[in-house]
Structures are given as structure tokens and as C-alpha cells.
Amino acid sequence: MSDAMSRPGTLVGQRVLRVNDGKLLTGAGTFVDDLHLPGTLHAVVLRSPIAHGRLVAFDAAEALTMPGVVDVLAPEEARDATRPLRCVWLMPGQGQVDYPVVPRVVRHVGQALGVLLATSVAAAEDGAERVRMEFEELPCVVDVEAALGDAAPQLDPGCPGNVAVDLPRGDPPDAVEAAIARADHVVAMRFAIQRLAGSPLEARGVVASWSPATGELTMWSSTQVPHHARDHLAGALGLALDRVRVVAPDVGGGFGPKDHLYADEVLVCLAAMRARVPVKWIEDRREAFTATVHGREQIHEARLAFDDDGRFVALHSDVLADLGAHPSNVGAGPAFVATGMLEGPYRFDSSGGRVRGVLTNKTPAGAYRGFGMQQAAWVRERLVDEAARTLGADPAELRRRNMIRADELPYTTHTHQNYDSGDYAAALERATELVGEGLPAAPDDGRRRGVGLCSYVEFTGLGPSAVQEIVGFALGGYETAVVRVEPDGRATVLTGVSPHGQGLETSLAQLAADALGLPITDVRVVHGDTATAPYSAAGTIASRSMTVGGGAVVRAAGRLRVKILDLAGHLLEAAPGDLEIIQGVVQVRGSPTAAVPLRTVAEKAWLAWGLPPGMAPGLEEKDLHDPQDISYSYATHAAAVAVDLATGRIEIERYVVVHDCGVIVNPMIVDGQTHGGVAQGIGNALLETLVYDDVGQPRIATFHDYVLPGTGEVPDMVVEHTQTPSPFIPGGMKGMGEGGTIAPAAAIGNALANAVPEIAHLVTETPMTPARVWGWLDAAGVATDW
Amino acid sequence: MTGPQTRVVRFAVNGRPVQVTTEVRTLVSDLLRHDLELTGTHVGCEHGACGACTVLVDGAPMRSCLMLAPQVDGRDVRTVEGLAVGGDLDALQEAFRSEHGLQCGFCTPGILMTLTGEREAGRTVEDALAALPGHLCRCTGYVNVRAAVRRAWSQLEGS
């Protein structure tokens, strides 16, 4: 054990090894498919094979004769037994506000219709092949622009023209247009961001168990949000909240798509209630590509207006967000955030946008790491580089001159973001320096080389509940922590956030251990079970667990420390202000002989013997932390690339991140999150895309055709941090789980355009696959022969 | 209608002999996870792309989701559960912990088994790094996985 791990009071900021790695490294983790309850039946979810149509016949008679098949929950039965799932983030005027668990008219391939139960997964799959479903097919629309056309099939009566949401953002349109008209130059470009699958390596899955005797339903679920899932599950099934328990066991990654309760999960629970034995459903990978929400897909018609001297005047983007078959739990939220964070770290006289959320016959789009901010960075930072090209200016210098200065913070943007603290230009400066260092002299291999930058500001720590109310996002923005020193002197932290790889079991423990003067090994973080965890409306999403959840731990543990010192002072006949807690011992500062073990203090407190007058028994504090305001992290990423003019392949030769997420609790974890985010950003930039044919059939079914980044695509990278504390969060942390994902596409795209300026005007779409880049090179006449 | 064909499969798991009567179509990943309750072997894609289900069969890394139960009859199978002898993490596991080479931990057992195969075959650190593209990890971005490989191999060479 390192010094830092054994010495109390010094854990925040230390590279503390994770406390839960042992079980994960030995195969002793418990993921949902690792649960084996006696008598479990296995479910296959029956799904729509077509993109749009009415189910006209359903016949499970033959399936029910198959060996091992026990029950089939038919669509009509499921529809009668469930209530619609509510959309959680409702935009003003949103035309569809909920969706049925089982629809009469299917709107995408993979939509859940029923459940078949059998004694094994194999028997269930065999049985499902014999379920007969007939559809009256309807015309479908898969392209978001086509969906706006007069001839497009209309998917929802509440969304005429297939538009579910249409709202302005930022300054009034007239004001933005007037500002653009005043400027010397305008760069106008159309950007398309592809559809992605977040693809946690553990797909979704649930085990559902119903107790007829108590009327209690338990759902173990691979989820980021146990309480949120519980609330919506109870709502869909018409159960009281106290009769529904949701447990997130070990969860194999989330990245956004596991931030909600899904219709198929409701169906599996319903099947378990009918079967009266536990039911397990594990999503397979092919299923995941159509059953789990997608992310990203947006089109931006964007303009950046600027003067001859390089001053930014105005910024505007008209966004089409492809919502898929119906608004998901977050609906047009990512486009709302994309326009809200479009301004990034720069000043503008005026800025705004328009958000249209449009329905198509594809899987609904939901949350994915970077949530709109990736799109905003791609659009803004590409425009900035094209403005620099127009002016013949250095892209770094143009950024610097327009950046909000440290002495201008706090600063309110045109979309009402109250940027809090930091020094955006310092990150830019450092990233620009670092990307040039250590770059090998370019070999004469015929490839073009270039460097690209992306600077961004990130909305983290969702959020004050009052802000959630303003934007119509029906999730309380607070988090609760309970910190207890047990009678044996060890501490337990109960948290409402629900880690699934982020290492909060360690980093939250660091916060509590510092406050309580305990070694990290004496603090245990408990989470993930609605029966024991404090209520959390939002869960682990939106880079909020360390800010909002951590802030609650800081405050609860801080108050508990005060009580410990009061009681110890009473026992030691010393003034509490003279006491400190070192390694689980409360002692008079500078006089270690006048000391009492924390364990003794805890025993007294829990016996409630000999307490000072007025002191309540026990050593436990609870804090409900609704943050004072949003925390804004920021960074500049820089990429150096080599571009093969014969193949269109982009190789990343150097990647730099200079990042500020406030106070860093565990630098090892923060760097790890950053690496992982950048890797997903590289997938976004270069590799991944979900493709549909024109009748709404996905052309992606496996990880062989949906290409995720592997070790060969993700280089070692330089990650540096500055630490500007959040003024609003106890402990000073800002959120950082998503940050790495936001910038890579823009940094790499700018590097590509820098390397091959002949195609700069074409660098508007992701992923920048060799085929696409080669097309640009060919169009510009710079592609070379093999 | 006849049920699926079954067969008795005898093999060794982590040095222990086992005998299982199973459908011939059972995947080795399912055999390990569900029949033998060795749930440390994870299934990420069921089509041989992600590598999470990798186990050692007669010392060679294999995708257990692409093998049928009879294929391991008479063979020696090792899983992640067999690495920490006596409960202590082995050098490779320690390297992953020290370098933060895992986050959610779902892909980790498969990576550990591939690397164990590389180590036991006496391969170099370059070989081991070259084996990593057979695995998908969605959390770490591979940076600290590679660092863990370098640490493990430098300790091996130093010992």
C-alpha cells in the first residue's frame, strides 16, 4: 500500500488504486447474466421484422408445442396490461409525449411486441422461430430530410410533417440574422453527424422476479439509473413504487443508452409476473443494434460570421435531429444541448439556432456520451478552421483572439449558459505547444500531414433541479449521500448514483475517507439497489456523479466529522476545534497521547451512552445536494494526422488533451476516463456508423460490420490537466466522464483539412472512413494512384 | 418431435476434471457459464468479434462463443477463475490493477486469458501487444491496457 493510501486527509488528488478491481480481475464480478435464480425461465423478446406496419395476425400456437416452451405473452395481452412509457425530457410543444410498451403500428425494425418463455435460451430461440406474425406493411421513411417532405408517410398524428419538436434557441432569429448581415464574412456549411450505437460491451439484460405473496417485483437490470428505472417500471405496470425494487448489479459499461427503462424490460417483468418464476432476458448483440437507443444523428446547416480582423460576430445552426421512431426518454435533448453549447469558449455578438426533432422509421435516438456537445464541437470547430482559412489566419490565433478570457468569467452565453470558472486560452496554448513536441520528423512516405485543434466547454453536473424544471427535463437534479461511521469505526457511504466502470466506489470513498480521517480500506461505498440506496432521480448520467453525488458525500462527511469531533471532545475533555482525526484516531492536535479511537467514539455514539446534552445518538449524516449551478469543464484537444492520398486512410500520429475538470479526486481514474472518451471519439470520427437501407432494414448486425475502435486505432496520448475548482460544488469538482468523447472528430477533421486543404470544404461528415475521404480526395483531384 | 441431441463431454477446467451431459449445440461459453457456473467468462457479442469470452484450450486462446461443447471433450480448458491461485492476484492481474487497465471489467477476463496464453508461450511484449487487437474494450481506450502489458512483461523479464 502506498503512503498516500494509508495516510488520512490526503487522499483527494492521489492515484488511489481502485477498491473493486479484485473481483473484476478474478471473474468474481456479478453481472446480470451471472445471476442464477432457481427455476429461472429464459425469455426471447418477439420483435418487429419490418420498419413500419400494422400487426394484423399473431399466432403462437405452434411455438407453444415446442420442447421447453412455457408461455407466450402476446402483443394484445401486453398492451392491455401496461401503460405507456412517458418521455422524460419534454420540449415545449412536443407532439408525442409518451409511447406504448407494445404499439399497434410498429415504427422500427426491432420494436418489441411480445415475449416467449422457455426452459433454456436455446429452446426459447427455437420457439420464437415458430411464432407467426403478419403485418400490413406501410410506407416507411428512413432519411430525416425525406421525412420532412410532403410525400413522406406520417408516423404520428401529434407530429404533423413528422416534426415532433420545433423550437428556436438563443437570440431571436431576427437579431442573429441582423448580426450575420453586418459581418464582413460568413462561412456557411452543412454538417452531417452519423448515427451511432453506444455499444457497452455488456448489452442490456434483466432478471425479473415476482413474489405473489408480497406483491413485490424485483428487477435486476444492467442499468445506469436504478431508481429512474423503478419509477417508470412501476408506472408502466401500475404498481406502487414500494412494491418494485430495481437492482443494478455489476454493469458492463453504459455510455448513455442504459439511462432509461425500455419497453422490452417492462415486457420481461410482465412475463415474470405471469409465470410466477424468475425470468431472465439477455439482449444479444444483433438485437442490441435495433433494440437499444442510438445516438448522435443530426444535420446542421450552420453559419459563422466574422469580420476582416478575425473577430467573431455571430453563430447560428439550424439542426435536424433524427429522433427515430418516436421521441426517446430524452427526445430532442441532444439537439437542444448541441445548440445550447454551440458557442463553446468564444464570444459572439449574437448566437442562436433552431432545433427540429423529426421522426423516422429507425430505432429511437437517445443518450450517448457527449450528448449533443460532440455535434456542437464538430460544427463550431470546423467552422472556426474554415474561417481561419478564409482569412489566411492561424487557427490557434483566431481561437485565442475570440476566446472568453479568464477575467471575463463568470460569463453568460446567448443560450443562457453561465460559464463559471477557468482559463480557456491556457488550455489552448498548452495543447498547441504539446502537439508539436515530440512529433517525429515526417518521413517522405507520400502522405500529407496536418494538425488540428478542438476547443470546447462542457456542461457537466446536471444539474440544479430548478434548471431541469426550466428545460422540461423531468428528473430531479440532486443527489443524496448517507455517510455513517459504523460501531466498529469503519465507514459506509450510501449513494444514489450508480457506477458502472467509472470507479466511484473508490473516488467517493476518497472524499469520505479524507473527511473522516480514515484509510481508504475502511470506507465502503454501497450503491445500485433501490431498496438500500438513497433516492436518485437521475442516476449516473451526464457527467454528474462526482459533482452532484460527490458534493453530497463531501457535505455529509463534513457534518459527520463535526459530530465526531464534538463527541470526541466531550470524551477527551478537549475543545473540538483542537482535535484532528489521524488514521482512525481522534487526537488533540500536536498531543497524540490525548487520543480516542474513532471506534470508541462510534461505540459511544451508537450506544448513546454518555453523550453530551442534546446530542442525538448515532454517527450518521445525510445530505441532499441540489447543486447551486452547472459546472463547466473545458479542454483543448490537438491531433496530428497523416493522410494517405492513395487510400484515404487517416492515421493519428499524436493526440493531446489539455483538460480542466476542477478538483481532481483521483488522477488515475480521470486519465482513464479521458482515454476511453477519446477512444469513443475516434470511433465517432473515423469508424462507426449505423446504416439502414431504404426500407428501414439495418445493414449492421454484428461487430464485424459495426467497426469499433481497437487498440490499433487508439494511440497513446498526452493528457494534462489544470484544476480550476468549481465555485458551486462542495469539493470543487467538475464533471468529466464524457469530455474525452466531445473533441476527437473535430480535432481530427481539422487536422485532415489542414493536411489536405484542397478538400477542406468537403470535410463535413463523419465518420471519415478511408472510402469517404478517398471520395473527397478524388473529387478535389488530389487522390493518387496506388 | 425429438429434442436436441445430447452428449457427455469430459474435460478439465482449471485443472479439475468435469463431466457434463449437454446438448451438442451448446456453446463452450454457455457450458462454462451456465452449466459449470464459471461466470467470469463473459459474452459480449456471440460472434467472435469482441474477444470477451476468450479462454485457454490446451494453452491456446480461443473464442469460447465460437466453440461447441463437444470440441472441448478431452481437452484442458482454463478460465479467468483459474488465474489467482490461492486468492492472490497473479502478476498480470496485478499489472492491470496497478495501471488501471480495466474500468467496467466486462472485457477484462478475455484479455487476461489471451495475455496468459502469450506469456506461457514465452512470447515477447511486442507479441503480446500485437495480440490485443483481438479484443474490444469500450472503457479504457486501450492506453492503460497496453501499459499493463508493458508492466507485466517488464516484471517477467526482471524476475
Side-chain angles (χ1 to χ4, degrees):
Chain A
M1 186 181 293
S2 73
D3 234 24
M5 294 181 69
S6 57
R7 202 170 59 242
T10 58
L11 290 167
V12 168
Q14 295 297 322
R15 186 182 189 281
V16 176
L17 298 184
R18 302 200 317 171
V19 299
N20 59 328
D21 280 351
K23 69 173 178 181
L24 297 173
L25 284 163
T26 55
T30 305
F31 297 87
V32 67
D33 193 27
D34 302 341
L35 296 166
H36 288 115
L37 302 185
T40 295
L41 292 175
H42 299 269
V44 164
V45 177
L46 305 169
R47 299 187 181 278
S48 170
I50 64 165
H52 195 199
R54 188 181 309 276
L55 181 68
V56 293
F58 181 94
D59 181 356
E62 188 188 351
L64 285 164
T65 68
M66 296 282 288
V69 173
V70 175
D71 193 17
V72 173
L73 181 65
E76 281 299 329
E77 296 171 312
R79 196 178 298 119
D80 290 347
T82 54
R83 303 174 189 179
L85 289 167
R86 288 179 288 122
C87 299
V88 181
W89 193 344
L90 288 182
M91 304 282 156
Q94 184 165 321
Q96 184 180 359
V97 300
D98 59 22
Y99 47 94
V101 171
V102 172
R104 292 181 193 282
V105 175
V106 296
R107 291 191 196 168
H108 69 91
V109 170
Q111 196 157 14
L113 290 168
V115 170
L116 180 145
L117 300 183
T119 51
S120 72
V121 176
E125 288 175 351
D126 289 347
E129 287 180 4
R130 308 300 173 101
V131 174
R132 200 172 60 80
M133 292 190 279
E134 277 179 28
F135 296 87
E136 174 191 313
E137 283 206 53
L138 297 167
C140 75
V141 60
V142 296
D143 176 81
V144 67
E145 287 172 321
L148 294 174
D150 293 340
Q154 300 296 297
L155 303 190
D156 190 277
C159 304
N162 293 318
V163 176
V165 172
D166 186 352
L167 74 164
R169 300 281 283 134
D171 292 343
D174 291 353
V176 184
E177 293 305 329
I180 291 172
R182 279 199 306 272
D184 296 331
H185 304 275
V186 179
V187 173
M189 296 172 82
R190 176 187 186 277
F191 295 97
I193 299 99
Q194 79 272 36
R195 181 167 274 255
L196 293 181
S199 301
L201 204 53
E202 182 202 32
R204 291 186 298 119
V206 302
V207 172
S209 176
W210 166 253
S211 166
T214 63
E216 188 186 28
L217 174 67
T218 302
M219 176 175 80
W220 290 265
S221 174
S222 181
T223 181
Q224 303 171 223
V225 291
H227 279 99
H228 176 85
R230 181 202 63 165
D231 292 1
H232 287 262
L233 180 59
L237 292 173
L239 297 172
L241 287 175
D242 68 299
R243 296 291 122 161
V244 181
R245 175 184 173 202
V246 173
V247 185
D250 287 319
V251 172
F255 315 121
K258 294 180 185 172
D259 77 339
H260 191 50
L261 178 82
Y262 283 74
D264 50 25
E265 297 164 0
V266 177
L267 292 177
V268 173
C269 289
L270 188 59
M273 291 170 72
R274 190 154 94 169
R276 303 199 164 202
V277 291
V279 171
K280 179 191 279 189
W281 166 72
I282 303 298
E283 186 183 52
D284 76 24
R285 187 54 59 183
R286 178 180 176 156
E287 192 175 23
F289 280 116
T290 60
T292 290
V293 294
H294 298 161
R296 292 284 190 271
E297 188 171 10
Q298 292 176 6
I299 293 172
H300 287 240
E301 294 279 359
R303 290 170 292 164
L304 169 61
F306 50 100
D307 280 342
D308 283 330
D309 61 0
R311 195 180 66 85
F312 293 167
V313 175
L315 181 64
H316 186 274
S317 188
D318 189 336
V319 185
L320 289 181
D322 186 336
L323 303 185
H326 59 73
S328 68
N329 57 321
V330 297
F336 186 88
V337 173
T339 45
M341 297 306 293
L342 188 64
E343 292 162 69
Y346 311 113
R347 286 177 303 266
F348 299 91
D349 292 348
S350 186
S351 179
R354 179 185 184 188
V355 167
R356 274 176 290 174
V358 181
L359 303 184
T360 61
N361 291 114
K362 294 185 285 198
T363 293
Y368 175 48
R369 195 177 194 178
F371 203 96
M373 294 181 281
Q374 186 279 331
Q375 295 95 319
W378 168 248
V379 169
R380 176 190 63 250
E381 295 295 305
R382 284 291 301 118
L383 287 172
V384 168
D385 265 35
E386 294 317 305
R389 212 175 312 283
T390 300
L391 292 167
D394 172 45
E397 180 50 37
L398 185 63
R399 283 179 172 77
R400 192 175 300 118
R401 102 149 269 190
N402 287 287
M403 266 184 178
I404 298 159
R405 294 187 310 272
D407 64 13
E408 291 175 283
L409 294 169
Y411 180 97
T412 301
T413 71
H414 297 276
T415 47
H416 317 294
Q417 307 295 322
N418 299 311
Y419 291 172
D420 47 1
S421 60
D423 186 345
Y424 305 151
L428 169 67
E429 198 82 34
R430 185 67 183 141
T432 309
E433 268 171 36
L434 284 169
V435 75
E437 284 176 12
L439 256 188
D444 184 15
D445 57 6
R447 292 189 294 175
R448 296 265 200 101
R449 285 176 165 78
V451 170
L453 298 168
C454 174
S455 300
Y456 68 86
V457 178
E458 181 187 3
F459 172 112
T460 78
L462 180 99
S465 299
V467 171
Q468 302 283 87
E469 183 177 11
I470 290 167
V471 302
F473 196 177
L475 290 175
Y478 50 84
E479 282 300 333
T480 302
V482 176
V483 180
R484 178 164 70 229
V485 174
E486 306 283 359
D488 66 358
R490 294 167 55 88
T492 302
V493 176
L494 302 176
T495 179
V497 298
S498 192
H500 40 279
Q502 298 89 341
L504 292 158
E505 299 88 340
T506 307
S507 47
L508 292 177
Q510 286 175 253
L511 296 173
D514 262 6
L516 300 174
L518 287 170
I520 191 84
T521 46
D522 282 4
V523 181
R524 181 175 168 87
V525 174
V526 177
H527 61 84
D529 182 344
T530 60
T532 53
Y535 184 78
S536 167
T540 288
I541 63 168
S543 300
R544 63 189 302 280
S545 295
M546 185 45 80
T547 52
V548 189
V553 172
V554 168
R555 293 206 307 199
R559 283 206 297 274
L560 190 55
R561 177 187 178 87
V562 170
K563 184 170 182 182
I564 291 166
L565 295 182
D566 282 348
L567 179 52
H570 178 70
L571 298 172
L572 291 167
E573 298 184 343
D578 293 338
L579 301 177
E580 59 185 354
I581 318 176
I582 302 286
Q583 195 75 349
V585 177
V586 189
Q587 61 188 44
V588 176
R589 193 171 281 116
S591 172
T593 50
V596 57
L598 184 53
R599 179 188 186 125
T600 305
V601 179
E603 279 171 1
K604 297 279 185 197
W606 289 109
L607 280 169
W609 290 359
L611 301 186
M615 181 177 280
L619 280 185
E620 177 176 296
E621 290 288 341
K622 174 177 176 175
D623 187 75
L624 195 153
H625 173 220
D626 201 348
Q628 190 185 332
D629 211 333
I630 305 295
S631 298
Y632 293 90
S633 296
Y634 61 93
T636 294
H637 291 211
V641 306
V643 184
D644 189 327
L645 297 180
T647 64
R649 180 169 177 271
I650 296 170
E651 182 187 353
I652 302 166
E653 297 193 307
R654 188 167 168 83
Y655 202 91
V656 169
V657 177
V658 180
H659 186 246
D660 191 316
C661 59
V663 170
I664 291 176
V665 176
N666 187 323
M668 177 188 81
I669 287 175
V670 167
D671 284 351
Q673 291 287 306
T674 304
H675 298 156
V678 169
Q680 292 196 357
I682 288 172
N684 192 153
L686 299 180
L687 301 167
E688 297 171 45
T689 187
L690 285 168
V691 185
Y692 280 81
D693 71 11
D694 57 9
V695 293
Q697 291 292 335
R699 286 186 166 156
I700 296 290
T702 72
F703 280 157
H704 297 296
D705 35 34
Y706 188 81
V707 184
L708 293 167
T711 182
E713 284 76 42
V714 186
D716 286 339
M717 57 193 86
V718 179
V719 181
E720 282 194 3
H721 305 277
T722 52
Q723 299 192 51
T724 311
S726 164
F728 304 123
I729 299 297
M733 299 81 73
K734 299 181 180 183
M736 59 80 47
E738 297 170 88
T741 321
I742 292 171
I748 293 165
N750 282 339
L752 170 64
N754 178 242
V756 193
E758 298 94 325
I759 65 166
H761 61 292
L762 299 173
V763 181
T764 55
E765 295 183 18
T766 47
M768 294 172 278
T769 58
R772 174 171 277 149
V773 172
W774 192 88
W776 295 338
L777 296 169
D778 188 49
V782 291
T784 59
D785 289 336
W786 287 55
Chain B
M1 189 174 292
T2 57
Q5 192 185 351
T6 62
R7 187 177 295 182
V8 178
V9 179
R10 298 177 186 82
F11 62 111
V13 177
N14 299 325
R16 180 171 57 94
V18 294
Q19 175 176 321
V20 190
T21 302
T22 183
E23 294 181 17
V24 294
R25 65 178 178 175
T26 301
L27 299 173
V28 171
S29 51
D30 289 336
L31 184 73
L32 292 169
R33 291 180 44 76
H34 302 308
D35 291 314
L36 300 174
E37 298 193 13
L38 293 168
T39 54
T41 298
H42 297 151
V43 178
C45 71
E46 277 189 294
H47 48 251
C50 79
C53 67
T54 302
V55 299
L56 295 180
V57 179
D58 293 339
M62 299 274 182
R63 306 284 212 238
S64 64
C65 79
L66 295 184
M67 297 183 82
L68 297 171
Q71 290 179 277
V72 293
D73 191 53
R75 302 177 79 175
D76 178 57
V77 175
R78 288 159 62 203
T79 69
V80 68
E81 286 91 347
L83 294 182
V85 179
D88 293 329
L89 298 184
D90 74 8
L92 188 60
Q93 291 167 315
E94 276 294 354
F96 269 73
R97 178 166 144 81
S98 297
E99 295 291 346
H100 189 31
L102 70 156
Q103 290 183 23
C104 81
F106 196 78
C107 71
T108 312
I111 294 178
L112 292 173
M113 296 320 290
T114 288
L115 293 171
T116 298
E118 294 289 309
R119 289 188 67 147
E120 293 179 352
R123 304 253 162 76
T124 65
V125 67
E126 289 76 21
D127 294 332
L129 292 169
L132 289 177
H135 292 272
L136 291 175
C137 171
R138 292 293 287 153
C139 295
T140 63
Y142 309 100
V143 175
N144 288 342
V145 172
R146 293 189 294 254
V149 170
R150 292 188 199 106
R151 175 186 279 253
W153 256 260
S154 71
Q155 286 173 346
L156 184 71
E157 283 153 15
S159 66

